[in-house]
Amino acid sequence: MKFFIDTANLKEIEDARSLGILDGVTTNPSLISKESVSNKEEIKDHYISICNLLKDEENLSAEIISNNYEEMIQEGEKLSILHPRIVVKVPMTYNGIKAIKYFSSKNIRTNCTLIFSTGQALVAAKVGADYISPFIGRIDDVSYDGLNLIKEIKKIYDSYHFKTKILGASIRHSLHIIECSKIGIHAITSPIKIIHSLIYHPLTNIGLEKFLTDYKRKIK
Ligand code: E4P
């Protein structure tokens, strides 16, 4: 399973790189607003800086902020030529679906975001989205089962051999990642701190401490 990092922060991306687990980056307007950017030109430069940290097949999902169809097309086309690693992130709306269909016909890669139902996932795949981002944590937040949505989408996509990749998003804790890997989806996108939490286990710490204490007691 691929590990994307859900951030616009360059240090976090470098951290994921040094850890050896980086497969790509996803951003959204809220994440961008946390960085030191204050206008569209600075945002473009920031996207380029992120892309310059990536290599091989890794890509960056950069989200369009327009709702109007023509503006979505203009914005997506500009993003797609900004850097070859950019995947245009398009919200799951009526105009968003039309825009994904258009981008797909122009070989511009897309990530359909804000997916909360199987119907939305089905339509996004029909129009040729390269990725969909179902928001697991935000579904759990309103007392539904985010992971069950992932299972259902996987079943539908497998049945019809859709090429659209499922990118499990809105990850809140390590169990979300583990369960996504058991379901067998292509990728998750997670805050780096949740990736870190996969590494730690109290029994590992206790075990290591005992090994070192035993060693130091005997070995001079
Ligand atoms: C997806 O690509 C989004 O950026 C993200 O996963 C949303 O997560 P949140 O619900 O923690 O904001």
Side-chain angles (χ1 to χ4, degrees), residues 6 26-28 31 89 113 133 135 138 169-170 172 189:
D6 202 24
T26 58
T27 59
N28 63 39
L31 292 171
K89 205 172 182 192
T113 190
S133 296
F135 278 36
R138 292 196 198 183
S170 186
R172 294 275 195 271
T189 184

Side-chain angles (χ1 to χ4, degrees), residues 25-27 47 50-51 54 58-62 85-88:
V25 175
T26 58
T27 59
Y47 283 148
I50 294 177
C51 288
L54 304 180
E58 297 161 4
N59 60 53
L60 163 68
S61 284
R85 291 191 185 281
I86 289 186
V87 171
V88 180

Side-chain angles (χ1 to χ4, degrees), residues 25 52 69 73 97 107 126 144 159 173 219:
V25 175
N52 289 339
Y69 175 72
I73 299 301
I97 286 300
N107 290 321
K126 290 281 288 177
Y144 285 89
S159 297
H173 47 72
I219 312 294

Side-chain angles (χ1 to χ4, degrees), residues 174-186:
S174 57
L175 199 56
H176 277 156
I177 300 179
I178 301 302
E179 290 301 318
C180 281
S181 72
K182 289 202 254 177
I183 296 166
I185 60 173
H186 175 76

Side-chain angles (χ1 to χ4, degrees), residues 60-156:
L60 163 68
S61 284
E63 189 160 337
I64 57 175
I65 53 159
S66 320
N67 283 321
N68 167 282
Y69 175 72
E70 281 76 24
E71 287 171 13
M72 283 176 143
I73 299 301
Q74 267 185 15
E75 206 187 330
E77 284 182 330
K78 279 187 194 157
L79 278 174
S80 74
I81 54 174
L82 189 63
H83 198 285
R85 291 191 185 281
I86 289 186
V87 171
V88 180
K89 205 172 182 192
V90 183
M92 168 31 96
T93 59
Y94 182 89
N95 284 339
I97 286 300
K98 289 204 303 182
I100 291 170
K101 180 71 189 169
Y102 171 85
F103 291 137
S104 169
S105 74
K106 300 284 175 194
N107 290 321
I108 294 173
R109 291 180 297 168
T110 54
N111 173 356
C112 185
T113 190
L114 291 163
I115 296 273
F116 292 93
S117 75
T118 46
Q120 292 178 323
L122 184 56
V123 176
K126 290 281 288 177
V127 293
D130 293 270
Y131 297 90
I132 58 154
S133 296
F135 278 36
I136 301 167
R138 292 196 198 183
I139 294 174
D140 290 356
D141 290 346
V142 292
S143 301
Y144 285 89
D145 184 351
L147 287 167
N148 190 51
L149 175 64
I150 299 290
K151 281 184 202 143
E152 290 186 349
I153 297 172
K154 176 77 167 64
K155 194 172 168 196
I156 293 168

